[in-house]
């Protein structure tokens, strides 16, 4: 079946060998493959495997491909439907199609059901005005049928439901409850090494000129998804054919890149100016994290867009943390402010890119003042957040307006002092900041060692085990 086609019980030939650049998502699906290969082993141990797995991420990142590859790896039957076909359909068609699909899949178990474009029917019901849009009833009935079928699974039904969406934010919360799509996996555009691997896959049967360098192609396509890269390879082959080239050459690729990357309407368009700003923003977080005593060690810095965030800096504590000292909280605030401060130091102006940082900073500063007694002016007094917060916490009575105001002032003072401190630090360490930003622009993602080295610093000794517990500041 084609990209938008429907499968009823085919056995896909694609495997994980045909997927690259989305290793994290792939790794998370290995458990599902193993279960489908040998459900009996799991049943014997009474292990509960997730029923519903939601793959989410921008179009063209390989969600459909990955779903088919899971079936291919496990060698099980693959049933699919695209939710968007039912939006305009006659009432009842969607629901009965869902019923058929689940019945067939159970008969063929172990098997996979794949529901593509889940958001087309799974949009939050609260946001809709009932009865106004033509497809609304149909959507509702199809969605309800999916929920009914998933709730009706029995322990012995070896069927896994995979779904894909570009819009996890609009999904009806009912879909995300336990027992439904309670496992969610992000599928992101690949980084540069990932793009090289994807290009290798798609050029397997394409004769390439000897001096053609796929690394160069990957370097010229930041933000490209797997689908973009597949398209680029094909366009390059078309250029080569038209030019009577025996093999596809660098110039064919250059023209193909231009055509695809400029022609496509992209969800995440990173202009060169955006990339530069993002590189400095993330370098700011990272450098402050590296230079501030008490800050968690920086694990990884990246300027590959993910969802809402244009980049990310991961920091991880050395061990599981249950309590934080005051200076460590301040270090967290400083690190979170580092992105915005770097933008101001370098570009003289701030952008909207620090929204979530500001939320994080506010949360910590307010906590220091109102919960943890870390402001001398307020003292060790617990102050409820907001108007009705007090009634929710036993033993807390609403604070006087004067105290509320003092909390606001103190939180603000903490943040403003931190901002001054961080701006000074980054101004003083401008050379390291430039070097780190340049390395990010070049490599897009820096692992811990590379990041510290780029900044001219010694990487900390670090326990790799902690990676899984990484926290992030976007
Ligand atoms: P999505 O479902 O996320 O929109 P698709 O799976 O439909 O993306 O991708 C379309 C095509 O692009 C795939 O069939 C494949 O040829 C190519 N492609 C996309 N992502 C990848 C990837 N990670 N690795 C290899 N090829 C990919
Ligand atoms: Mg798809
Ligand atoms: Zn940030």
């Amino acid at each position: 079946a084609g990209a938008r086609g429907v499968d009823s019980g085919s056995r896909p030939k694609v495997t994980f060998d045909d997927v690259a650049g989305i290793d994290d998502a792939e790794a998370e699906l290995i458990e599902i493959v193993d279960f489908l290969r040998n459900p009996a082993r799991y049943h014997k141990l009474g292990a509960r495997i997730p029923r519903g797995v939601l793959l989410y991420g921008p179009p063209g990142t390989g969600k459909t491909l990955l779903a088919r590859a899971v079936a291919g790896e496990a060698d099980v039957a693959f049933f699919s439907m695209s939710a968007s076909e039912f939006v305009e359909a006659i009432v009842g068609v969607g629901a009965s199609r869902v019923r058929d699909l689940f019945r067939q899949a159970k008969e063929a178990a172990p098997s996979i059901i794949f529901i593509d474009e889940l958001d087309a029917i799974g949009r939050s019901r609260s946001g809709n005005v009932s009865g106004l849009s033509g497809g609304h009833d149909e959507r509702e009935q199809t969605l309800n049928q999916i929920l009914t079928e998933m709730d009706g699974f029995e322990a012995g039904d070896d069927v896994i439901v995979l779904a894909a969406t570009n819009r996890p934010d609009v999904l009806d919360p009912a879909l995300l409850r336990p027992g439904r799509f309670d496992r969610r996996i992000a599928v992101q555009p690949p980084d540069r090494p990932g793009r090289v691997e994807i290009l290798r896959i798609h050029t397997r049967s394409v004769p390439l000129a000897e001096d053609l360098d796929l690394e160069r192609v990957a370097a010229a396509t930041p933000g490209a998804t797997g689908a973009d890269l597949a398209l680029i390879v094909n366009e390059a082959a078309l250029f080569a054919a038209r030019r009577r080239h025996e093999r596809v050459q660098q110039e064919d690729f250059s023209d193909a890149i231009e055509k695809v990357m400029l022609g496509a309407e992209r969800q995440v368009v990173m202009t060169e100016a955006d990339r530069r700003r993002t590189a400095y923003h993330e370098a700011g977080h990272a450098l402050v994290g590296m230079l501030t005593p008490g800050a968690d060690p920086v694990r990884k810095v990246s300027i590959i867009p993910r969802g809402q965030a244009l980049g990310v800096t991961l920091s991880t504590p050395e061990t599981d943390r249950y309590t934080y000292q005051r200076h460590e909280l301040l270090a967290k605030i400083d690190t979170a402010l580092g992105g915005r401060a770097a933008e101001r130091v370098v570009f003289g102006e701030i952008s909207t890119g620090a929204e979530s940082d500001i939320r994080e900073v506010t949360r910590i500063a307010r906590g220091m003042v109102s919960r943890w007694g870390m402001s001398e002016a307020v003292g060790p007094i617990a102050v409820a957040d907001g108007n009705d917060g007090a009634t929710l916490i036993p033993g807390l009575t609403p604070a006087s307006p004067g105290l509320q105001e003092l909390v606001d002032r103190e939180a603000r003072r903490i943040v403003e002092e931190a901002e001054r401190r961080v701006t000074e630090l980054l101004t003083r360490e401008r050379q390291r900041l430039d070097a780190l930003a340049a390395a990010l622009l070049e490599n897009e993602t820096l692992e811990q060692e590379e990041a510290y080295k780029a900044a001219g610093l010694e990487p900390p000794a670090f326990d790799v085990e902690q990676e899984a517990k990484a926290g992030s500041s976007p």
Side-chain angles (χ1 to χ4, degrees), residues 188-210:
Q188 305 291 359
D191 61 7
R192 190 157 112 181
R195 293 199 295 273
V196 175
E197 277 183 67
I198 293 174
L199 286 165
R200 291 226 167 88
I201 289 175
H202 288 280
T203 52
R204 271 180 201 150
S205 54
V206 176
L208 301 177
E210 255 156 45

Short mmCIF file of all heavy atoms in Angstrom, two decimals, residues 188-210:
data_model
loop_
_atom_site.label_atom_id
_atom_site.label_comp_id
_atom_site.label_asym_id
_atom_site.label_seq_id
_atom_site.Cartn_x
_atom_site.Cartn_y
_atom_site.Cartn_z
N GLN A 188 11.47 12.93 15.80
CA GLN A 188 11.98 14.27 15.49
C GLN A 188 12.80 14.30 14.21
O GLN A 188 13.34 13.28 13.80
CB GLN A 188 12.89 14.73 16.65
CG GLN A 188 12.25 14.70 18.01
CD GLN A 188 11.15 15.75 18.14
OE1 GLN A 188 10.88 16.51 17.21
NE2 GLN A 188 10.49 15.79 19.28
N PRO A 189 12.91 15.46 13.59
CA PRO A 189 13.81 15.56 12.43
C PRO A 189 15.21 15.15 12.83
O PRO A 189 15.64 15.40 13.95
CB PRO A 189 13.76 17.04 12.07
CG PRO A 189 12.50 17.56 12.67
CD PRO A 189 12.28 16.74 13.91
N PRO A 190 15.93 14.49 11.92
CA PRO A 190 17.25 13.94 12.26
C PRO A 190 18.32 15.01 12.41
O PRO A 190 18.21 16.09 11.82
CB PRO A 190 17.56 13.06 11.05
CG PRO A 190 16.80 13.67 9.93
CD PRO A 190 15.55 14.23 10.54
N ASP A 191 19.36 14.72 13.18
CA ASP A 191 20.54 15.59 13.22
C ASP A 191 21.43 15.24 12.03
O ASP A 191 21.09 14.40 11.20
CB ASP A 191 21.28 15.46 14.55
CG ASP A 191 21.80 14.06 14.80
OD1 ASP A 191 21.70 13.20 13.88
OD2 ASP A 191 22.30 13.79 15.89
N ARG A 192 22.58 15.89 11.98
CA ARG A 192 23.40 15.73 10.78
C ARG A 192 23.87 14.29 10.54
O ARG A 192 23.70 13.77 9.44
CB ARG A 192 24.58 16.69 10.85
CG ARG A 192 25.33 16.76 9.57
CD ARG A 192 26.06 18.05 9.49
NE ARG A 192 27.49 17.80 9.56
CZ ARG A 192 28.40 18.77 9.53
NH1 ARG A 192 28.03 20.02 9.47
NH2 ARG A 192 29.66 18.47 9.58
N PRO A 193 24.44 13.61 11.54
CA PRO A 193 24.81 12.21 11.29
C PRO A 193 23.59 11.37 10.89
O PRO A 193 23.71 10.46 10.06
CB PRO A 193 25.36 11.74 12.64
CG PRO A 193 25.74 12.99 13.35
CD PRO A 193 24.84 14.08 12.88
N GLY A 194 22.44 11.67 11.49
CA GLY A 194 21.21 10.95 11.13
C GLY A 194 20.86 11.19 9.67
O GLY A 194 20.42 10.27 8.97
N ARG A 195 21.07 12.41 9.22
CA ARG A 195 20.75 12.71 7.81
C ARG A 195 21.67 11.94 6.87
O ARG A 195 21.24 11.47 5.81
CB ARG A 195 20.85 14.22 7.57
CG ARG A 195 19.79 15.01 8.32
CD ARG A 195 19.58 16.40 7.74
NE ARG A 195 20.73 17.28 7.85
CZ ARG A 195 21.02 18.04 8.90
NH1 ARG A 195 20.22 18.03 9.95
NH2 ARG A 195 22.08 18.81 8.89
N VAL A 196 22.93 11.80 7.26
CA VAL A 196 23.85 11.02 6.43
C VAL A 196 23.34 9.59 6.29
O VAL A 196 23.28 9.03 5.20
CB VAL A 196 25.28 11.02 7.03
CG1 VAL A 196 26.19 10.10 6.22
CG2 VAL A 196 25.85 12.43 7.08
N GLU A 197 22.94 9.00 7.42
CA GLU A 197 22.45 7.62 7.38
C GLU A 197 21.21 7.48 6.53
O GLU A 197 21.05 6.50 5.79
CB GLU A 197 22.10 7.16 8.80
CG GLU A 197 23.26 6.67 9.61
CD GLU A 197 22.75 6.18 10.95
OE1 GLU A 197 22.03 5.16 10.96
OE2 GLU A 197 23.01 6.86 11.97
N ILE A 198 20.30 8.45 6.65
CA ILE A 198 19.07 8.39 5.85
C ILE A 198 19.43 8.50 4.36
O ILE A 198 18.89 7.77 3.52
CB ILE A 198 18.09 9.51 6.26
CG1 ILE A 198 17.58 9.24 7.68
CG2 ILE A 198 16.92 9.59 5.28
CD1 ILE A 198 16.71 10.34 8.25
N LEU A 199 20.37 9.39 4.04
CA LEU A 199 20.80 9.52 2.64
C LEU A 199 21.41 8.20 2.15
O LEU A 199 21.19 7.79 1.01
CB LEU A 199 21.80 10.67 2.51
CG LEU A 199 21.18 12.08 2.61
CD1 LEU A 199 22.27 13.13 2.83
CD2 LEU A 199 20.38 12.42 1.34
N ARG A 200 22.16 7.53 3.01
CA ARG A 200 22.75 6.23 2.62
C ARG A 200 21.64 5.25 2.26
O ARG A 200 21.72 4.55 1.26
CB ARG A 200 23.59 5.65 3.77
CG ARG A 200 24.83 6.42 4.03
CD ARG A 200 26.07 5.53 4.19
NE ARG A 200 27.24 6.41 4.14
CZ ARG A 200 27.75 7.01 5.22
NH1 ARG A 200 27.27 6.75 6.42
NH2 ARG A 200 28.77 7.83 5.09
N ILE A 201 20.59 5.21 3.10
CA ILE A 201 19.49 4.29 2.84
C ILE A 201 18.85 4.58 1.49
O ILE A 201 18.64 3.68 0.67
CB ILE A 201 18.42 4.40 3.95
CG1 ILE A 201 18.96 3.79 5.24
CG2 ILE A 201 17.12 3.72 3.53
CD1 ILE A 201 18.03 3.96 6.43
N HIS A 202 18.60 5.86 1.23
CA HIS A 202 17.85 6.19 0.02
C HIS A 202 18.71 6.21 -1.24
O HIS A 202 18.18 6.31 -2.34
CB HIS A 202 17.10 7.51 0.21
CG HIS A 202 15.93 7.35 1.14
ND1 HIS A 202 14.72 6.83 0.73
CD2 HIS A 202 15.80 7.60 2.46
CE1 HIS A 202 13.90 6.78 1.77
NE2 HIS A 202 14.53 7.24 2.83
N THR A 203 20.04 6.12 -1.07
CA THR A 203 20.90 6.04 -2.26
C THR A 203 21.43 4.62 -2.47
O THR A 203 22.32 4.42 -3.30
CB THR A 203 22.10 7.01 -2.16
OG1 THR A 203 22.77 6.79 -0.91
CG2 THR A 203 21.64 8.46 -2.22
N ARG A 204 20.86 3.65 -1.75
CA ARG A 204 21.34 2.27 -1.87
C ARG A 204 21.37 1.82 -3.33
O ARG A 204 22.31 1.17 -3.75
CB ARG A 204 20.42 1.33 -1.10
CG ARG A 204 20.79 1.13 0.36
CD ARG A 204 19.79 0.18 0.98
NE ARG A 204 19.74 0.28 2.42
CZ ARG A 204 18.64 0.03 3.14
NH1 ARG A 204 17.51 -0.31 2.52
NH2 ARG A 204 18.66 0.13 4.44
N SER A 205 20.32 2.15 -4.08
CA SER A 205 20.29 1.67 -5.46
C SER A 205 20.47 2.82 -6.45
O SER A 205 20.03 2.74 -7.58
CB SER A 205 18.98 0.94 -5.72
OG SER A 205 17.91 1.78 -5.37
N VAL A 206 21.12 3.88 -6.00
CA VAL A 206 21.38 5.01 -6.89
C VAL A 206 22.88 5.08 -7.15
O VAL A 206 23.67 5.15 -6.22
CB VAL A 206 20.92 6.34 -6.23
CG1 VAL A 206 21.28 7.53 -7.10
CG2 VAL A 206 19.42 6.30 -5.96
N PRO A 207 23.30 5.03 -8.44
CA PRO A 207 24.74 5.13 -8.72
C PRO A 207 25.24 6.55 -8.45
O PRO A 207 24.71 7.51 -9.02
CB PRO A 207 24.85 4.79 -10.21
CG PRO A 207 23.48 4.97 -10.77
CD PRO A 207 22.49 4.89 -9.66
N LEU A 208 26.21 6.66 -7.55
CA LEU A 208 26.71 7.98 -7.16
C LEU A 208 28.10 8.22 -7.73
O LEU A 208 28.92 7.30 -7.79
CB LEU A 208 26.78 8.09 -5.63
CG LEU A 208 25.48 7.89 -4.86
CD1 LEU A 208 25.74 7.95 -3.36
CD2 LEU A 208 24.45 8.93 -5.27
N ALA A 209 28.37 9.44 -8.13
CA ALA A 209 29.71 9.81 -8.59
C ALA A 209 30.70 9.60 -7.45
O ALA A 209 30.34 9.73 -6.28
CB ALA A 209 29.74 11.26 -9.04
N GLU A 210 31.95 9.23 -7.81
CA GLU A 210 32.91 8.87 -6.78
C GLU A 210 33.20 10.00 -5.80
O GLU A 210 33.40 9.77 -4.62
CB GLU A 210 34.21 8.41 -7.41
CG GLU A 210 34.36 6.90 -7.31
CD GLU A 210 35.29 6.37 -8.38
OE1 GLU A 210 36.36 6.98 -8.58
OE2 GLU A 210 34.93 5.36 -9.02
#
